[in-house]
Amino acid sequence: MYRGMWASYAKAGLTANPDEPDLNRFASDGALKTLRNGLANYRSKKQVLKGKYVLNPQAAEVALNASPATVTVTDCIDDSNFLVYNLSGEPINDVPGGRRSARATVTNLAAGGWKVTSFGVQDVGSC
């Protein structure tokens, strides 16, 4: 789910589409709202996102007996090659991203299945 969320965000970023159907497949609750709001913000500025993330997620905490069951994922996302562009294809700035510490909660939403329900990403250089 975690990798799927980031892949769907990258896909949605190509057109800054906050209504990309795959977002809802992998994210819910606060995570989905954060992704959609970010994409809507890029779209309002006539910007898009291109490139790839390098992910290395690890299960940090597993609470399968909790109600609902959750897994906490930690990561050091490298977004050096995932940049913001204007609609003509030119980079907004020439400052690449970098390695960022991330933490996400993946929750078993029963009939909705497992989805990322919250996440946070720190500043470049945080991992």
Side-chain angles (χ1 to χ4, degrees):
M1 287 299 116
Y2 177 81
R3 286 183 185 274
M5 178 189 79
W6 287 114
S8 65
Y9 183 71
K11 178 182 173 184
L14 293 172
T15 57
N17 180 9
D19 299 316
E20 167 59 47
D22 281 349
L23 292 173
N24 194 35
R25 218 173 117 206
F26 299 104
S28 184
D29 301 338
L32 182 60
K33 182 178 179 180
T34 298
L35 295 171
R36 285 186 170 156
N37 286 347
L39 290 162
N41 185 46
Y42 285 118
R43 180 170 271 186
S44 72
K45 294 191 268 184
K46 297 185 181 352
Q47 298 172 342
V48 295
L49 304 163
K50 296 179 184 180
K52 293 185 179 183
Y53 288 108
V54 177
L55 304 173
N56 187 27
Q58 306 290 318
E61 298 172 32
V62 178
L64 298 180
N65 294 324
S67 183
T70 61
V71 175
T72 301
V73 175
T74 58
D75 198 353
C76 183
I77 300 172
D78 185 347
D79 65 358
S80 300
N81 294 311
F82 192 76
L83 303 172
V84 181
Y85 295 82
N86 62 30
L87 294 179
S88 66
E90 297 174 23
I92 296 300
N93 63 45
D94 58 1
V95 179
R99 297 171 54 83
R100 302 168 184 266
S101 178
R103 185 176 184 93
T105 301
V106 182
T107 305
N108 185 349
L109 299 175
W114 288 88
K115 294 188 180 185
V116 178
T117 52
S118 66
F119 71 92
V121 180
Q122 303 303 312
D123 292 335
V124 170
S126 54
C127 62

